[in-house]
Amino acid sequence: MNIPIIETERLILRSFREEDLNPYAQMSADEEVMRYIGNGKTLSRAESWRSIAVIIGHWYLRGYGLWAVEERESGEMIGRIGCWKPEGWIDFEVGWTLRRSFWGKGYATEGGFASIKYAFEELGKKKVISLIRPNNFASIRVAEKLGEKFEGYVEVLGNQALMYGITTQGWKKISRSDE
């Protein structure tokens, strides 16, 4: 499978490579980064490797997935952003996780925008959601900047989450205003 490369003004969304393991494992071992991801626990280096393998497998099984995010200026792998719907998941999700040193720069919004555009325009999705833990105010702001609206509370992996969503109609309004 050929995983598409998406380039934005400051980011490259691309397939994971073996050399991404070090920065990915660093991100996954950071308690502050991981407190709102999955079960809220950090991952070991071996678990991080398996996480990358699951992400790559998701691409092969579903035809879409999370990209490794590379900062264009530095060439550093700074996190993961993209589309996600493993078996049993609530709905088609766009999500983001960045290494802490890259927070607050608008990268999650930039990559999230590219991912939602890909979901609607390339995959033909009618709706995209983002699942966010209630106290993850930074991710709530990202979802709102992406045009997503609060839709309610859901349980994900035994934890309460907020569900934000946007439809193709809402997306057309947002994307036209950015042209």
Side-chain angles (χ1 to χ4, degrees):
M1 150 151 245
N2 226 359
I3 296 174
I5 296 170
I6 296 178
E7 295 191 26
T8 68
E9 182 182 341
R10 301 175 300 157
L11 305 173
I12 300 171
L13 281 60
R14 59 163 175 79
S15 178
F16 276 89
R17 301 179 214 157
E18 190 167 355
E19 61 265 24
D20 294 329
L21 178 57
N22 284 338
Y24 191 85
Q26 175 202 35
M27 177 182 78
S28 300
D30 186 325
E31 291 179 1
E32 188 68 17
V33 171
M34 297 304 290
R35 70 183 174 150
Y36 298 123
I37 305 299
N39 62 11
K41 295 181 180 167
T42 59
L43 303 180
S44 69
R45 183 177 174 82
E47 290 167 327
S48 295
W49 188 91
R50 286 191 292 278
S51 176
I52 291 172
V54 166
I55 289 168
I56 293 169
H58 191 285
W59 274 101
Y60 281 85
L61 293 171
R62 298 278 195 214
Y64 57 83
L66 297 167
W67 286 277
V69 182
E70 185 177 310
E71 184 184 50
R72 289 171 74 112
E73 185 178 319
S74 69
E76 280 192 73
M77 198 289 291
I78 66 168
R80 65 184 193 191
I81 296 176
C83 307
W84 190 243
K85 192 175 188 302
E87 186 58 31
W89 213 240
I90 293 169
D91 206 340
F92 183 93
E93 181 178 15
V94 165
W96 47 86
T97 306
L98 298 176
R99 291 169 50 203
R100 192 173 357 158
S101 58
F102 295 94
W103 288 1
K105 299 181 180 191
Y107 290 154
T109 303
E110 188 172 327
F113 188 89
S115 298
I116 291 174
K117 181 177 180 179
Y118 182 82
F120 287 140
E121 295 180 7
E122 301 300 322
L123 300 177
K125 298 297 178 185
K126 304 290 183 217
K127 182 179 181 183
V128 169
I129 66 164
S130 294
L131 301 172
I132 303 167
R133 296 275 180 87
N135 292 330
N136 190 344
F137 301 113
S139 279
I140 291 168
R141 281 191 299 278
V142 170
E144 290 170 347
K145 287 178 187 176
L146 295 172
E148 292 182 300
K149 305 290 184 212
F150 176 71
E151 296 186 349
Y153 294 91
V154 295
E155 186 176 313
V156 180
L157 303 173
N159 295 292
Q160 186 180 57
L162 309 174
M163 186 166 72
Y164 279 74
I166 187 169
T167 63
T168 52
Q169 291 79 18
W171 176 252
K172 288 175 187 173
K173 290 177 191 171
I174 299 290
S175 61
R176 259 186 264 139
S177 68
D178 287 342
E179 293 176 348

